Each structure stands twice: as C-alpha cells, then as structure tokens.
Amino acid sequence: MSRRTGADATSEGAGGTMSSLGTVMSERRQLVNLAYRLLGSLADAEDVVQETYARWYAQSAAQQEAIESPGAWLTRVAGRICLDQLRSARSRRERYVGEWIPEPLPGRTEWLSARPGAATADPGDRVTLDESISMAFLVVLEAMTPAERVAFILHDVFRYSFAEVAEIVGRTPAACRQLASSARRRLPASPAPATPTAQQAGIVRAFKRAWETADIDALIGLLAPDATAIGDGGGHVRAALQPVEGAEQVARFFAARAGAMPGMTVLERTVNGRPGLVVRLDGAVVSVMAFDVASERIRHIWAVLNPDKLRPWTAD
C-alpha cells in the first residue's frame, strides 16, 4: 500500500522504508487529517492516532523493520480503527438526544484577519483546512454507511487506489469502487456555485447584526427560502430537538433569542475553514455556529451547544 497525494498527503518513494522515530512520527498529521474526516471529531481522531501509534510500538523492533512501508501500515491501521468506530457510532447516534452535528473545528484567526490577539485554539498544525472539512461536507458524510464513507474519503479525498482501500475496508477493489460510487450519489446532485469566502463573511456578519438587533425582516432577507437551522445540545444543554425549517421560521427562532441571556457576546470566528460565529456567555464558549452560504443566501445553520464538542474552543 503506497502513499497517495490528497488532503495534506506527503509522497513516499516506492518501496521506501521509514525506520527512524522522527519519520514515523511525521505521519501523525496525515493520520489526524484522515481520522477527522472519517469521524467528524478532532478528539476522536486524536484518540485513533494515539491507538494507532500504540499498536506500532507494541511490535518488536524486528517486526517494525519487516514492514516495507510503515506509513502505509499506520494508515491501514488507523483506517480500520475508524471503520470500527463508525460502525459502533451508528448505534450510539440512535440513542443521541436531538440532532447530531460533527464537532466544529477552530480556525487560526478571526475570519480573514491576522490581527494580534485574534488567534483561536489552533488545530492548523494538525488538520489541513479545505473543502473536505467544511461543515456542509461533513454533514453529508453522515448520511453514508461506514464502509461508503471510508472508501469515499480514502479514494476521492486522499487519492488512494481502490486496491489500497480494499486492504482497509476488507472487501475487493471492485466492491470498494461500488462503495465510493454509492457514496457520491449521496452528494448534492447540482451544488450551488461557491460563494467567495469574503462574501460569505459579509453575509454571516450581516446575520450577526440582524440577530443581535432581533431584526426579523433583515434575517429573512439573508436566508434562503428553504433555510434550515439545526442545534446540537447532546442532552446536556437545551436545544431544538428538530430542525427549524423555512426562512421566516428560522428568522423568528433567532430573533426570539436575541439578548435572552445577559452577558452573551457573539464573535466572528472561522469554523471548519469558513466564516462562522462563536457565542460566549460570561467569557465561556457556549455555542459554535457554522453556515452554508450559496447564491448570496444562508441555506443551513448548524449550532453546536454540546459542551463535549466545544472543548477545542476553550482556549479561544
């Protein structure tokens, strides 16, 4: 199994070996990138990588030296651990209270600014920010079966061959090709044209202002007619148990909560590589909001309130 180019992938010469500790550990970022996209959780991804390295170092020196490509071995093990976790997660999600949203990933700074003091808890050295970690993309991945998700991410995002994917999924290359094809059918048939990041930032900023002033008409004007808002409290904090649908309903939902909590501040922050908002109450992060913007309108809002998913934001 050779390494392929993809999201933050690094190439390795055919038949090359990696025997030094430094070279083996240099695979860590690649593994975190893979595991986050497969699991939708940075905490779970790092646990997977830790377990992967534990299995590597549980081998004898002779066993390690016998492995032709340690990088491929580490990827194969991490992929299998993720596949097992995805299978068990399906049953856990059935017991989850309310809607489940992937764990939001902090960005480096306040949107496009690099002003001193604007830095957030920074996973930038661990996860490469690109389209495959946008909240909209991760939510679509949740509709895939575990095997579909693994085959699709490995092949379409990380550019592994189906023969290599087969070693992880435990099926034939032909079956893995079919899994990836099935996964692609779950993607939007005709995605709206991408909105430039600067324009997205302006729309999200306008939403923030309209929300803070409870301006229902302004909110409606910023939302797509079929806009949806989904909250994830995980049973720990109060959140809508069902999606709020329709521009007017979403606008009224947010307007009704404007200024509901004294001491609440709304900050402009990068969420999964896109302009988003972070809500603080008395200095503590209580909600992280990601947006899907297309055709100059907000189509989806995902608000994560579950404190277990906000731990990467505590240093913000």
Side-chain angles (χ1 to χ4, degrees):
M1 181 176 181
S2 59
R3 299 293 303 283
R4 300 292 174 182
T5 59
D8 196 46
T10 54
S11 62
E12 178 187 336
T17 61
M18 299 183 298
S19 57
S20 71
L21 171 64
T23 308
V24 170
M25 291 306 294
S26 71
E27 295 294 312
R28 181 176 182 82
R29 180 171 179 173
Q30 170 77 354
L31 297 173
V32 173
N33 269 284
L34 174 64
Y36 177 73
R37 287 161 175 79
L38 289 177
L39 301 177
S41 166
L42 184 59
D44 289 347
E46 292 184 327
D47 286 345
V48 165
V49 174
Q50 183 175 351
E51 172 63 20
T52 300
Y53 276 111
R55 295 186 187 185
W56 170 263
Y57 289 110
Q59 301 178 111
S60 68
Q63 289 173 317
Q64 292 174 6
E65 288 295 330
I67 295 174
E68 181 180 356
S69 173
W73 186 94
L74 292 167
T75 298
R76 187 160 56 247
V77 171
R80 288 172 178 169
I81 296 172
C82 287
L83 183 58
D84 289 342
Q85 287 207 12
L86 285 169
R87 287 167 174 160
S88 63
R90 289 176 74 85
S91 60
R92 292 199 306 272
R93 302 266 171 85
E94 292 174 359
R95 302 189 298 271
Y96 196 81
V97 178
E99 298 288 327
W100 191 94
I101 299 174
E103 179 185 303
L105 188 70
R108 290 177 179 268
T109 60
E110 177 184 348
W111 287 0
L112 304 179
S113 167
R115 296 193 300 271
T120 67
D122 181 11
D125 290 335
R126 290 172 284 171
V127 178
T128 300
L129 303 179
D130 62 19
E131 183 59 35
S132 67
I133 57 90
S134 71
M135 187 62 74
F137 189 79
L138 292 176
V139 168
V140 171
L141 294 179
E142 289 299 314
M144 299 177 184
T145 68
E148 285 175 344
R149 184 166 182 166
V150 172
F152 175 76
I153 290 294
L154 283 167
H155 180 266
D156 286 44
V157 177
F158 286 85
R159 304 304 180 190
Y160 285 98
S161 70
F162 286 118
E164 294 167 326
V165 175
E167 295 183 48
I168 293 174
V169 179
R171 303 194 189 186
T172 66
C176 290
R177 185 185 298 276
Q178 297 241 339
L179 286 170
S181 177
S182 176
R184 288 185 211 105
R185 289 196 292 270
R186 298 181 186 273
L187 300 175
S190 55
T195 301
T197 301
Q199 189 175 354
Q200 291 182 44
I203 293 169
V204 174
R205 180 176 290 118
F207 177 90
K208 171 180 176 287
R209 292 170 179 166
W211 178 22
E212 291 174 329
T213 58
D215 188 336
I216 292 178
D217 290 337
L219 287 169
I220 292 174
L222 292 165
L223 296 162
D226 59 349
T228 62
I230 299 175
D232 177 350
H236 298 288
V237 297
R238 185 176 179 182
L241 296 178
Q242 300 292 331
V244 180
E245 300 177 337
E248 183 174 350
Q249 289 78 6
V250 172
R252 292 189 180 281
F253 178 86
F254 278 95
R257 285 152 181 78
M261 297 180 288
M264 184 181 81
T265 56
V266 183
L267 306 174
E268 301 170 356
R269 291 289 184 267
T270 299
V271 181
N272 286 71
R274 300 290 183 273
L277 299 174
V278 170
V279 180
R280 281 179 171 172
L281 180 61
D282 298 328
V285 175
V286 295
S287 177
V288 172
M289 298 169 59
F291 295 80
D292 177 29
V293 179
S295 302
E296 301 183 5
R297 295 289 184 93
I298 296 170
R299 297 188 304 180
H300 302 285
I301 303 172
W302 297 280
V304 177
L305 301 93
N306 184 343
D308 291 342
K309 296 183 179 181
L310 299 180
R311 289 171 183 164
W313 296 82
T314 56
D316 184 6

